[in-house]
């Protein structure tokens, strides 16, 4: 049955990884675990990390390994390139740091990691006793002893990279973070001071004039203003890598109304023929239905299609539709109805006659053997003993031949096996023959239990995708080509877009190695064009999904400090507030008392009470750290402050009182321990991030991908 193969496929990485653990047999014999990975290739370097090369050949191996591990769920290659790059940079930075501080993982430590109280998940899954739920360390060690002899297994290197090395890397990382964490210390005086600060509250009076009283349009911000602001606040305007920006227009090549109507007519024309078809599977294959035929039943509660309630009420042979399902026009035909469980428990024994097309046992001998097994089981023989002695399904030996399935797994099971499990009843005992690509053979199956029985439906769907016609595609392509031909610079691009009433969309911060653009999806070749051209260049039409895109490069910003154009959206609002503050201070704040300042500004004197030091949120104002800080300034108690430019306006305050609210929830020692724990938890993570940020990284991926 294909389910056995599915289960094996699912856990194949685990099973083969265990085979790969023969490497551990050799590793555990060494005094220390080596860190080298055999870097070096004639295929070119795609980057360097602190002088250490990342060879393309090794990088490709990692991408291929990730692809194999993900299987059918693998992300797109561009995504893997990005994630493998980040992983590789992290590995190199950390390995260099381990070597610098002399950090190693000994053979004994690796042994403890693998066979201790908390083994890696991939290992514990393989050797957990189903009876006790406990990791069977002796079984794992025995298995290692057996596979230690498999020196020539070609998969060992691959699975060492997939499982063993990551386990070693994780153990070293934990040691490194523990090393940093154990260096953390919070003195008692700091905890006492922090506790006192957290308990402090202030009361003050203030006068404020919001920035909103002056319109933004009345304040002019020049390029020189931006440059000056950038120089004063360099850290806020640094960028770790170069970015570019583009503007683009879109020419829609999706299905038109006429295309949709034509496809609807096609589906309608097949309705009577579909209703009359006696063999739905053959018919749907002949008319090329977008939805393949599933020759099985779906529980009513799991029927995830539009108009499901209406479809369930169809008589057998009746057809409903057309209706839109996703991007298709669809007809639904009721083929049959029955009841079916949502979940089943079965136990079985498998005798194979072939595996992957290679004969393993003659059909006649296999049939006699399974019949004998069936007779013995039905006569009361110990089922688990029969499983251990005869079954060719290694995946179920640890579960006494038992499997639990849900109805959602039905399509993945071999038809003969699934029908016994789901269409029979508890207590049924049958022998079935199964043939599929993975293996052929006989199953003896006993249905142990079934749960949640409800109506189920066998439904055939005839669907056609709502796609653009070639005429629609050509029209969009021609329009895009004409636009590009007449728009050879930014000015022409903007003028033509305005004449044709085409919305111009903009995308900032496109990085050299990005593979997607928001709103356009996967667009690696388009991004390459952006970086192979310069500001003002206009592209030829790019086909992205169901649209044609024509773009113009609107900006380039190199690594380091942002240029004026890039920084303006960030800096301009802040500079406007600074200029407004200067204007407010020079024109509205006059006098030597709070009341005089209020009269000069044309506002009243306001009061704030119980403002906390730990959470400086001021009622009716919001988050104003500068104002809260001034309120707790003992030098301003009973005195008026100078004007303070805050986040929302300009303030003048007068401190009235600083007091404390007793904190009954925590004492100084409890707070000290809490702060120290936070340092330990965050110290390791922040240190690793700092190492990567400080690393000298040269990224050449653009030259290869």
């Amino acid at each position: 049955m294909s389910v056995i193969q599915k289960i094996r496929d699912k856990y194949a990485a685990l099973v083969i990884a265990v085979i790969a653990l023969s490497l551990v047999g050799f590793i555990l014999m060494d005094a220390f675990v080596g860190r080298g990975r055999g870097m070096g290739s004639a295929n070119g370097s795609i980057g360097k990390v602190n002088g250490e090369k990342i060879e393309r050949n090794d990088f490709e191996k990692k991408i291929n390994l990730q692809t194999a591990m993900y299987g059918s769920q693998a992300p797109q290659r561009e995504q893997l390139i990005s994630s493998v790059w980040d992983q590789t940079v992290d590995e190199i930075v950390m390995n260099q740091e381990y070597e610098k501080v002399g950090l190693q993982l000994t053979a004994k430590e690796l042994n403890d990691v693998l066979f201790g109280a908390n083994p890696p998940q991939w290992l514990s899954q393989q050797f957990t006793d189903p009876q006790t739920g406990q990791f069977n360390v002796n079984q794992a060690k025995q298995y290692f002893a057996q596979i230690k002899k498999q020196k020539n297994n070609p998969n060992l290197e691959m699975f060492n990279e997939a499982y063993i090395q990551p386990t070693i890397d994780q153990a070293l990382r934990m040691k490194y973070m523990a090393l940093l964490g154990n260096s953390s210390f919070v003195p008692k005086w700091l905890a006492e001071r922090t506790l006192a600060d957290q308990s402090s509250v202030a009361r003050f009076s203030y006068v404020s004039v919001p920035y909103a009283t002056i319109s933004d349009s009345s304040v002019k911000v020049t390029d020189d203003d931006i440059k000056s602001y950038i120089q004063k606040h360099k850290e806020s305007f640094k960028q770790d890598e170069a970015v570019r920006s583009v503007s683009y227009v879109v020419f829609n090549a999706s299905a038109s109304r006429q295309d949709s109507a034509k496809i609807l007519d096609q589906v309608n024309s097949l309705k009577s023929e579909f209703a009359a078809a006696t063999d739905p599977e053959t018919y749907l294959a002949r008319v090329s239905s977008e939805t393949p035929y599933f020759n099985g039943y779906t529980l009513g509660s799991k029927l995830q299609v539009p108009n499901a309630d209406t479809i369930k009420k169809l008589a057998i042979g009746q057809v409903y539709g057309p209706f839109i399902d996703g991007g298709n026009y669809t007809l639904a035909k009721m083929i049959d109805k029955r009841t079916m469980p949502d979940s089943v428990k079965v136990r079985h024994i498998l005798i194979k006659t072939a595996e992957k097309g290679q004969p393993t046992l003659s059909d006649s001998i296999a049939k006699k053997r399974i019949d004998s097994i069936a007779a013995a089981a039905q006569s009361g023989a110990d089922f688990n003993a029969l499983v251990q002695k005869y079954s060719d399904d290694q995946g179920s030996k640890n579960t006494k031949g038992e499997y639990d399935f849900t109805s959602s797994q039905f399509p993945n099971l071999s038809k003969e096996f699934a029908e016994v499990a789901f269409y029979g009843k508890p207590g049924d005992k049958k022998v079935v023959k199964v043939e599929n690509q993975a293996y052929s053979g006989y199953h003896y199956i006993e249905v142990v239990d079934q749960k949640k029985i409800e109506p189920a439906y066998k439904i055939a769907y005839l669907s056609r995708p709502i796609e653009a016609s070639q005429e629609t595609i050509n029209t969009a392509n021609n329009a895009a080509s004409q636009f590009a031909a007449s728009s050879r610079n930014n000015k022409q691009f903007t003028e033509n877009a305005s004449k044709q009433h085409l919305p111009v969309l903009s995308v900032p911060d496109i990085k050299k190695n990005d593979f997607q653009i928001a709103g356009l999806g996967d667009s690696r070749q388009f991004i390459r064009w952006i970086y192979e051209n310069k500001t003002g260049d206009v592209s030829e039409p790019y086909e992205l999904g169901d649209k044609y895109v024509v773009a113009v490069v609107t900006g380039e910003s190199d690594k380091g400090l942002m240029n004026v154009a890039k920084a303006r959206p960030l800096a301009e609002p802040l500079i406007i507030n600074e200029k407004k503050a200067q204007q407010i201070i020079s024109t509205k704040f006059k006098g030597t008392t709070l009341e005089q300042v209020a009269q000069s500004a044309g506002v009243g004197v306001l009061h704030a009470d119980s403002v906390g030091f730990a959470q400086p949120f001021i009622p009716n104002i919001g988050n104003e750290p500068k104002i809260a800080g001034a309120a707790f300034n003992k030098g301003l108690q009973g005195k008026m402050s100078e004007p303070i430019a805050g986040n929302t306006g300009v303030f003048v305050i007068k401190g009235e009182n600083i007091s404390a609210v007793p904190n009954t929830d925590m004492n100084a020692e409890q707070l000290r321990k809490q702060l120290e724990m936070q340092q330990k938890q965050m110290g390791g993570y922040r240190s690793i991030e700092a190492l990567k940020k400080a690393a000298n990284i040269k990224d050449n991926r653009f030259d290869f991908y």
Side-chain angles (χ1 to χ4, degrees):
M1 96 181 147
S2 63
V3 66
I4 304 299
Q5 186 61 33
K6 288 286 182 183
I7 292 172
R8 285 181 174 173
D9 289 344
K10 182 178 179 182
Y11 295 103
L14 300 176
V15 175
I16 304 176
V18 171
I19 294 175
L21 291 177
S22 57
L23 288 176
V24 179
F26 305 114
I27 292 172
L28 295 179
M29 294 170 60
D30 297 333
F32 296 96
V33 178
R35 299 296 311 159
R37 298 216 179 181
M39 299 292 282
S41 167
N43 291 329
S45 167
I46 67 166
K48 286 183 181 180
V49 180
N50 293 329
E52 183 172 339
K53 290 183 179 181
I54 301 174
E55 300 292 350
R56 187 184 183 191
N57 187 49
D58 297 306
F59 192 75
E60 284 288 342
K61 284 182 180 179
K62 290 184 178 183
I63 294 172
N64 294 336
L65 175 62
Q66 291 285 326
T67 302
M69 290 178 67
Y70 279 111
S72 61
Q73 303 299 316
Q76 292 189 342
R77 178 173 168 83
E78 288 82 0
Q79 290 175 286
L80 285 175
I81 290 170
S82 179
S83 64
V84 170
W85 171 264
D86 292 340
Q87 174 190 331
T88 303
V89 169
D90 183 276
E91 287 175 357
I92 294 175
V93 168
M94 294 313 300
N95 289 343
Q96 290 172 344
E97 186 68 10
Y98 300 151
E99 185 175 352
K100 187 185 300 181
V101 300
L103 196 64
Q104 297 175 320
L105 191 71
T106 66
K108 181 180 182 306
E109 287 173 325
L110 179 57
N111 188 76
D112 290 342
V113 169
L114 293 170
F115 306 124
N118 297 297
Q121 184 179 12
W122 57 267
L123 186 58
S124 64
Q125 279 184 304
Q126 185 64 25
F127 292 104
T128 293
D129 189 330
Q131 303 294 326
T132 64
Q134 300 296 314
F135 176 57
N136 192 329
V137 64
N138 291 327
Q139 185 182 18
K141 287 183 176 180
Q142 289 171 6
Y143 200 88
F144 293 166
Q146 294 173 7
I147 63 174
K148 186 176 176 181
K149 302 174 183 179
Q150 300 180 13
K151 299 180 181 179
N152 298 321
N153 190 323
N155 292 320
L156 293 183
E157 180 182 357
M158 181 174 110
F159 287 99
N160 174 57
E161 287 288 325
Y163 293 95
I164 305 303
Q165 195 61 56
T167 299
I168 295 170
D169 290 341
Q170 181 63 20
L172 280 168
R173 185 176 293 254
M174 295 303 293
K175 286 185 71 173
Y176 182 78
M177 294 182 72
L179 183 68
L180 294 175
N182 289 334
S183 67
S184 300
F185 175 71
V186 174
K188 184 179 179 181
W189 68 263
L190 180 59
E192 291 173 342
R193 177 61 182 270
T194 302
L195 194 62
D197 288 342
Q198 290 179 347
S199 302
S200 297
V201 293
R203 185 175 72 249
F204 61 94
S205 300
Y206 67 93
V207 172
S208 70
V209 176
Y211 296 135
T213 58
I214 302 174
S215 67
D216 288 353
S217 61
S218 67
V219 181
K220 304 302 180 185
V221 178
T222 67
D223 286 354
D224 287 339
D225 291 331
I226 301 289
K227 291 177 183 177
S228 177
Y229 194 88
I230 292 172
Q231 290 301 317
K232 291 177 182 177
H233 306 84
K234 290 182 179 180
E235 287 300 317
S236 299
F237 293 92
K238 278 185 177 179
Q239 52 189 26
D240 295 332
E241 57 183 299
V243 294
R244 294 197 176 188
S245 58
V246 297
S247 293
Y248 66 90
V249 293
V250 170
F251 297 85
N252 194 350
S254 60
S256 65
R257 289 183 180 180
Q258 292 79 5
D259 297 332
S260 179
K262 184 176 180 180
I263 295 163
L264 178 61
D265 289 343
Q266 290 175 358
V267 174
N268 264 317
S269 69
L270 296 171
K271 189 170 183 178
S272 59
E273 188 177 89
F274 183 36
T278 57
D279 183 350
E281 185 169 12
T282 301
Y283 175 78
L284 292 175
R286 180 171 64 81
V287 298
S288 302
S289 173
E290 188 75 7
T291 305
Y293 180 64
F294 169 49
N295 189 19
Y297 294 82
T298 302
L299 293 176
S301 61
K302 303 286 181 69
L303 195 61
Q304 302 294 322
V305 293
N307 311 294
D309 290 340
T310 301
I311 293 172
K312 285 186 283 188
K313 295 175 183 177
L314 294 175
I316 293 176
Q318 190 175 0
V319 176
Y320 171 77
F323 57 92
I324 294 178
D325 184 8
N328 302 318
Y329 278 120
T330 300
L331 297 170
K333 179 179 179 180
M334 183 64 68
I335 304 300
D336 197 14
K337 303 180 181 182
R338 63 167 301 136
T339 58
M340 195 175 86
D342 182 41
S343 61
V344 298
K345 178 186 283 291
V346 298
R347 61 180 186 178
H348 85 121
I349 295 171
L350 168 65
I351 303 297
K352 290 182 180 179
T353 58
E355 187 162 9
K356 293 183 179 179
Q358 299 300 315
T360 58
L361 188 68
S362 70
D363 189 273
S364 59
I365 294 176
K367 184 63 169 67
K368 289 179 182 178
R369 186 175 297 176
I370 202 72
D371 287 342
S372 298
I373 290 169
Q378 293 171 18
S379 298
D382 183 271
F383 197 89
N384 187 41
L386 295 173
V387 169
Q388 302 304 322
K389 185 174 182 180
Y390 296 110
S391 184
D392 289 330
D393 177 19
Q394 301 300 320
S396 65
K397 282 185 178 286
N398 290 334
T399 61
K400 300 180 181 180
E402 293 182 354
Y403 281 121
D404 291 295
F405 299 117
T406 64
S407 59
S408 61
Q409 294 172 285
F410 190 107
N412 298 325
L413 306 180
S414 292
K415 180 175 180 293
E416 299 82 1
F417 192 101
E419 289 180 350
V420 174
F422 285 92
Y423 297 166
K425 59 184 183 299
D428 283 356
K429 301 173 182 179
K430 292 186 178 181
V431 171
V432 296
K433 186 176 183 180
V434 168
E435 294 183 2
N436 55 51
Q437 292 182 344
Y439 71 93
S440 300
Y442 290 91
H443 288 277
Y444 170 66
I445 308 166
E446 293 186 0
V447 182
V448 178
D449 192 19
Q450 295 177 330
K451 295 179 181 178
K452 298 181 181 178
I453 300 193
E454 62 175 280
Y457 307 89
K458 182 183 288 189
I459 304 168
Y461 299 98
L462 190 163
S463 60
R464 288 283 170 83
I466 304 171
E467 294 178 335
S469 65
Q470 192 59 50
E471 181 182 358
T472 297
I473 294 171
N474 290 343
T475 299
N477 187 15
N478 290 337
S481 298
Q482 290 172 10
F483 181 91
S486 61
S487 307
R488 300 323 302 160
N489 55 52
N490 198 356
K491 181 181 178 182
Q492 292 175 350
F493 179 96
T494 303
E495 289 174 349
N496 287 333
S498 178
K499 289 176 184 177
Q500 298 182 35
H501 305 291
L502 294 171
V504 178
L505 304 174
S506 298
V507 184
D509 298 339
I510 301 170
K511 298 177 182 177
K512 200 171 189 177
N513 291 302
D514 284 347
F515 57 89
Q516 285 187 332
I517 291 179
L520 296 178
D522 294 330
S523 42
R524 180 60 191 155
Q525 291 305 312
F526 181 42
I527 293 169
R528 288 193 64 87
W529 176 86
I530 293 169
Y531 272 87
E532 288 168 351
N533 289 273
K534 61 184 185 295
T535 299
D537 286 351
V538 178
S539 74
E540 296 301 320
Y542 270 86
E543 184 178 2
L544 299 173
D546 60 356
K547 57 180 71 76
Y548 288 93
V549 170
V550 179
V552 58
V553 180
T554 54
E556 305 173 45
S557 185
D558 295 332
K559 178 180 178 180
L561 288 180
M562 297 179 187
N563 58 33
V564 170
K566 177 74 188 303
R568 179 174 283 276
L570 302 173
E572 189 170 43
L574 303 173
I575 297 171
I576 287 174
N577 283 349
E578 282 189 355
K579 292 194 172 190
K580 287 182 178 181
Q582 294 169 3
Q583 186 175 338
I584 290 170
I585 292 170
S586 64
T587 60
K588 293 183 177 289
F589 283 10
K590 308 292 184 182
T592 58
T593 68
L594 208 57
E595 288 73 19
Q596 290 174 348
V597 171
Q599 184 177 5
S600 172
V603 297
V605 177
L606 302 175
H607 305 276
D609 197 5
S610 301
V611 176
F613 183 87
Q615 296 178 331
F617 184 87
I618 303 173
N620 302 317
I621 296 178
N623 186 30
E624 286 285 0
K626 290 181 182 179
I627 311 310
F632 285 94
N633 183 349
K634 292 182 180 179
L636 289 178
Q637 296 303 299
K639 298 179 182 179
M640 186 180 78
S641 73
E642 294 294 326
I644 303 169
N647 293 330
T648 59
V650 181
F651 299 79
V652 174
I653 80 162
K654 179 181 178 182
E656 296 179 356
N657 184 53
I658 300 174
S659 59
V661 177
N663 187 340
T664 59
D665 296 332
M666 185 175 294
N667 58 41
E669 180 57 21
Q670 288 175 321
L671 181 60
R672 190 194 71 78
K673 290 180 178 179
Q674 184 185 87
L675 293 173
E676 192 166 278
M677 180 59 68
Q678 290 174 352
Q679 278 192 11
K680 288 182 177 181
Q681 291 175 342
M682 295 302 297
Y685 168 77
R686 287 174 176 169
S687 297
I688 290 172
E689 289 303 304
L691 285 171
K692 289 192 285 187
K693 189 172 183 179
N696 182 9
I697 300 171
K698 185 175 182 181
D699 188 347
N700 298 330
R701 281 179 291 164
F702 188 81
D703 297 334
F704 296 91
Y705 302 107

